Amino acid sequence: MTLQVRVGIGYDSHRFAEGHGVLLGGVLIPAAVRCTGHSDADAICHALTDALLGGSGLGDIGEMFPDTHAENAGRDSIEMLRLAVARVRAAGWMPAQADITVIAETPRLGPHRPAIRERLAAALGIEPSEVMVKGKTNEGMGWIGRGEGLACIAVATLTPSPRS
Ligand code: MG
């Protein structure tokens, strides 16, 4: 039997360095830190891309965009997300809904939530009401609590897409 709904999960983390803002879901949130990484270090986009690729059985972000390739250095993660969505659709699936949790002591996501939801929804080809983003602290515990970086968990639901 072929399932008519698939669910994928993705996780990502990035280390903080001194900076002027954290890029999350394609939105630069003002902060005294930035995330470091090979691409633009957008943990929401990376976790969500992995959720989409995982749910559709297409591998993971590391396979699709190897960090050994120069073209992926500093790469726009919204663009990577869009390319992953196109690949998912070509494989007969499409995003229906996504739910995302960012675990970080700083910055606060709340005021930027509507912008992030809009940006991600546009990349996924769904409505902002179908994308949720939630911020949590780690209650001061561990590496996240010490402010060394942030983590992100994303879940995406996929439904069959008409093959073109
Ligand atoms: Mg990443």
Side-chain angles (χ1 to χ4, degrees):
M1 192 186 81
T2 304
L3 277 177
Q4 291 303 297
V5 175
R6 292 233 187 143
V7 176
I9 185 169
Y11 170 85
D12 196 30
S13 59
H14 280 273
R15 186 182 293 273
F16 286 151
E18 210 173 291
H20 301 291
V22 175
L23 187 64
L24 284 170
V27 175
L28 186 65
I29 300 174
V33 293
R34 65 181 172 86
C35 282
T36 61
H38 188 257
S39 67
D40 65 6
D42 188 328
I44 286 184
C45 286
H46 296 173
L48 187 51
T49 297
D50 252 355
L52 296 172
L53 294 174
S56 52
L58 292 173
D60 61 47
I61 190 170
E63 284 176 356
M64 193 167 172
F65 305 101
D67 64 9
T68 48
H69 290 197
E71 70 202 35
N72 295 326
R75 192 159 188 179
D76 176 0
S77 294
I78 287 282
E79 184 208 347
M80 292 197 279
L81 179 59
R82 286 183 186 277
L83 290 170
V85 169
R87 191 159 164 192
V88 165
R89 292 189 81 110
W93 296 96
M94 61 183 188
Q97 170 263 343
D99 190 19
I100 297 152
T101 297
V102 176
I103 308 120
E105 302 297 324
T106 188
R108 294 283 175 186
L109 245 63
H112 307 279
R113 179 188 275 175
I116 296 172
R117 295 176 76 185
E118 268 185 39
R119 198 81 210 278
L120 295 176
L124 297 180
I126 58 180
E127 297 298 319
S129 62
E130 294 160 332
V131 180
M132 192 58 212
V133 179
K134 308 181 303 297
K136 297 277 291 178
T137 73
N138 212 37
E139 299 288 346
M141 295 181 289
W143 62 269
I144 294 176
R146 291 190 296 273
E148 293 174 18
L150 58 75
C152 180
I153 300 165
V155 173
T157 306
L158 304 167
T159 52
S161 164
R163 286 173 196 264
S164 52

